[in-house]
Amino acid sequence: MNQETHCPCGSQEVFANCCEPYLSGDKIPLTAEILMRSRYTAYTRMDDDYLLATWHPDTRPDTPHPSDDGDDTTWTGLSLLRTEAGLEGDKTGVVEFIASCNVGKKPSQLHEISEFTHDGERWFYVDGLDQQPVRRESPKVGRNEPCPCGSGKKYKKCCG
C-alpha cells in the first residue's frame, strides 16, 4: 500500500498517518474509537497478530476469525454509529458500527456494539454484540388496525 492511499477505517486520512502506526506497533491507540478503527483496518489487511494483541486476554479466541469456513470476505467500508465513553482517562468504552463487506460476491454487513476496556496502559477489545435485523413471525400491526389481543380497540389505544 503506498503512502497516498486513504486508510480503510474511513477517517479520510492517509493510511501512513492514520492506522499504520498502530498496526506496526509504533503507536498505541489512545481511545476506544481509534482502537476500533485500527482493528477494522487490521481485518482489511488480514493482520491477525494485531487483532489478537488488541483483544483482551480474558476473551481472546485462538483465531480472530470465528467461522473460517473458506468464505472469501473482503471488507469494503466502515460506518461509526455512536461511541460511549472510551476516551483518554476512561476505563471502559462502547463503539457501535456497521462494517460492510463482500462474502464471495454477495454484499453483507456486520452491525456490532463493541465493548472496550482500558487496563491503565492501553485499550483492549473485550467483546461485541452482533445486532441482527428484527425478523417478525407475522406482519407488523399498524397503529390504527384492530389490536391482535381481541379487545376490539385500535392497536394504538390498547397494546400498542
Side-chain angles (χ1 to χ4, degrees):
M1 193 173 271
N2 70 41
Q3 294 284 37
E4 299 304 315
T5 302
H6 281 103
C7 191
C9 80
S11 67
Q12 301 304 309
E13 298 287 329
V14 175
F15 173 68
N17 298 332
C18 191
C19 288
E20 184 177 44
Y22 305 118
L23 273 61
S24 69
D26 291 340
K27 288 175 69 177
I28 295 173
L30 298 177
T31 68
E33 179 182 328
I34 295 170
L35 178 59
M36 193 263 129
R37 287 181 178 277
S38 67
R39 286 177 54 82
Y40 171 81
T41 299
Y43 272 106
T44 70
R45 301 174 62 79
M46 295 178 274
D47 187 341
D48 292 356
D49 291 339
Y50 182 79
L51 292 167
L52 292 172
T54 57
W55 212 307
H56 194 275
D58 291 347
T59 58
R60 183 182 303 136
D62 293 332
T63 174
H65 311 286
S67 60
D68 191 5
D69 56 4
D71 285 338
D72 181 24
T73 302
T74 305
W75 297 97
T76 58
L78 177 66
S79 298
L80 265 61
L81 303 179
R82 70 181 172 95
T83 59
E84 291 177 16
L87 301 174
E88 292 182 63
D90 290 333
K91 296 291 183 200
T92 62
V94 173
V95 179
E96 182 176 2
F97 66 91
I98 296 176
S100 299
C101 63
N102 291 320
V103 179
K105 294 184 179 187
K106 182 179 177 186
S108 187
Q109 290 184 330
L110 169 66
H111 181 181
E112 183 175 295
I113 299 174
S114 296
E115 296 179 18
F116 297 86
T117 188
H118 196 278
D119 72 351
E121 294 182 24
R122 65 185 318 144
W123 284 99
F124 288 95
Y125 170 78
V126 177
D127 202 359
L129 181 60
D130 191 14
Q131 300 297 295
Q132 295 296 324
V134 175
R135 305 224 191 277
R136 293 185 173 86
E137 297 283 322
S138 58
K140 182 178 176 182
V141 177
R143 292 175 34 87
N144 290 317
E145 293 180 26
C147 190
C149 77
S151 68
K153 296 179 184 178
K154 288 185 179 182
Y155 179 67
K156 69 181 177 184
K157 296 282 187 178
C158 189
C159 296

